[in-house]
Amino acid sequence: MYVQHLEPVAGSLGLSALVATLPLVIVLVLLGVVRLKAHLAGLIGLLAAVLVAWLAHRMPLGQTLSSAAQGAAFGFFPIMWIVVNALWVYRMTVHTRHFDILRRSFGRLSDDPRIQALVVAFCFGALLEALAGFGAPVAICSVMLVALGFEPVKAAVVALVANTAPVAFGAMGTPVVTLAQVTELPLATVASVVGRQTPLLALVVPLVLVWLVDGRRGLRETWVPALACGSAFAVGQFIASNHISAQLADIGAALLGAGALVAVPHTRRPAAEPVRAAVLTGVRSEDLDEEDPPREVLRAYAPYALIVAIFSLAQIPVVKDWLAGATQTYDWPFLNVASPDGDPVGGNIFTWPIVATGGTLVLLAGLCTAVVLKVHARVAVREWAATVHELRFAILTVTSVLALAYVMNLSGQAATIGHFVAAAGAGLAFLSPVLGWFGVAVSGSDTSANALFGALQVSAARESGLSPELLAAANSSGGVLGKMISPQNLTIACAAVGLAGREGDLLRKVLPWSLGLLLVMCLIVVGQSTPVLEWMLP
């Protein structure tokens, strides 16, 4: 048995935390400064994590490699499994030209690219996050924006920044459900507090998006629909998370946000030609005047309606229990790790939710889509294989980054960093969202960050006299802002819009927004820990 060590370097928690951060720092420097391709940066970062685990934390090499293998397995299933199948559905709509019909449908709502960014990246992206998550919203929305005429880099940046506010309740509430499980706090309480933090981001993000699309002019001319969209989304997310269901929070919020946006008269106002010329690439199709039969419009929306229907059915208790019955649990080989307290860690067991995972449900939706769109079985299989081939480097990046995250987690590197941050005492309320941000930046998943640091946040809160529910929620709310800089999300965005190898360029563009919004979240949590904003908490 390997027992994790929190202070392996010279008996110093500070030095140990400094060494433990090296793998993540190396990945970010290779991406943002050296501009190395993401899959190579991920592999080098993984090597660094293995060396730190083996040499500094003295984890046996066999167990270190086994933990990396488990992380790689999790990176492919369920994370890339859901991305592959979601993009497969998209590729079939492209093959049958129903994607063009869907694009024209969105385009007819408004020819203003700033409004289109809100419709596609914020509202539709939030719906995809609610249903699938794990990179699918970034991939699909980036492609849709490019098809509408956006320059690829701008499309990817807009999709990445938009994929923030819905993340904590994404994939049918998986992050907050996981947070409640690992912290042993009531789900209703945790979701309620998160639902009083992330809606504040939803008020800001649409304004940031119109700024990204068209700068000051965009903010000056379209702040009304942006604020209406963000406000409706925020209200919907707050009400659902506090009074209805955490699993349905993003679905309701996305639909309310879209409804409010459509209701604003400014939305349908034609954009001035200088705006379109400045924002769009000029390669936008001039086919928005083409009339599409209502039947074909319905078929264009069918794939996403099928995803909504299948995921909704999967939440029915009887169906959910039946799906969960197919879940397989294994003792992971060559891995026997205990926490510093001597308790076995979760990595010793590997759970394989064969049917209940989101990727399999999207696969089922894809099979139904093939029938509805009349895609021949041979063509559907060919498109699936082409999707895997297209994402081969993204798959390598994600599996290597998740392998890195698992090595850091199981060797104790992540716990060392977490305890160092938790020792901040009075500054813990400010640093709590930073810890979640760090976890998502490493793993690319708010769910993983909550599993990684959720219990630690609660323990540190109780030691410092702060609210355990507040700091647990802050872990998830701060984590959503790390998603836009995570290597796997950057890779997915680049792969979707044909910018393979340009992950470093995207990182430099989104990092300031990630840090700026993180600062806002830190101040919100600090305020909620004091009488200034304490009234916001349940």
Side-chain angles (χ1 to χ4, degrees), residues 156-324:
V157 169
V158 167
L160 285 166
V161 174
N163 190 221
T164 49
V167 168
F169 295 101
M172 304 305 293
T174 300
V176 291
V177 171
T178 301
L179 184 61
Q181 290 174 342
V182 300
T183 59
E184 299 182 351
L185 295 172
L187 173 60
T189 305
V190 172
S192 177
V193 180
V194 175
R196 296 163 191 245
Q197 295 172 341
T198 56
L200 298 176
L201 289 177
L203 295 173
V204 177
V205 170
L207 298 172
V208 173
L209 295 181
V210 296
W211 174 279
L212 286 171
V213 173
D214 196 28
R216 292 182 180 177
R217 178 177 58 187
L219 190 60
R220 184 178 65 252
E221 296 180 358
T222 56
W223 68 270
V224 172
L227 191 59
C229 177
S231 299
F233 185 100
V235 170
Q237 194 178 64
F238 166 75
I239 292 175
S241 61
N242 278 265
H243 304 293
I244 302 176
S245 167
Q247 287 87 346
L248 300 177
D250 279 347
I251 294 179
L255 296 177
L256 276 178
L261 187 60
V262 172
V264 175
H266 192 115
T267 298
R268 294 183 175 274
R269 192 176 303 164
E273 192 56 38
V275 173
R276 294 185 59 198
V279 174
L280 302 179
T281 61
V283 299
R284 179 185 180 182
S285 301
E286 297 298 333
D287 60 352
L288 291 182
D289 293 330
E290 182 178 336
E291 289 295 329
D292 296 307
R295 176 184 176 86
E296 294 306 311
V297 174
L298 289 175
R299 291 174 69 190
Y301 280 91
Y304 305 102
L306 285 167
I307 292 175
V308 172
I310 289 173
F311 272 83
S312 299
L313 287 173
Q315 297 307 307
I316 298 174
V318 175
V319 178
K320 192 173 185 177
D321 292 342
W322 179 77
L323 294 174

Side-chain angles (χ1 to χ4, degrees), residues 333-377:
F334 311 112
L335 197 60
N336 187 11
V337 180
S339 69
D341 298 329
D343 299 323
V345 302
N348 299 336
I349 303 296
F350 184 75
T351 302
W352 187 22
I354 304 173
V355 182
T357 188
T360 303
L361 296 178
V362 175
L363 176 65
L364 177 59
L367 296 174
C368 295
T369 294
V371 174
V372 172
L373 301 186
K374 299 180 180 179
V375 179
H376 192 278

Side-chain angles (χ1 to χ4, degrees), residues 381-426:
V381 171
R382 187 180 67 213
E383 290 295 339
W384 193 91
T387 303
V388 174
H389 182 265
E390 179 183 344
L391 291 175
R392 62 192 184 281
F393 290 118
I395 292 172
L396 180 58
T397 300
V398 171
T399 52
S400 63
V401 169
L402 263 295
L404 177 154
Y406 267 60
V407 170
M408 291 186 67
N409 183 20
L410 295 176
S411 67
Q413 295 174 58
T416 295
I417 297 167
H419 279 80
F420 177 74
V421 173

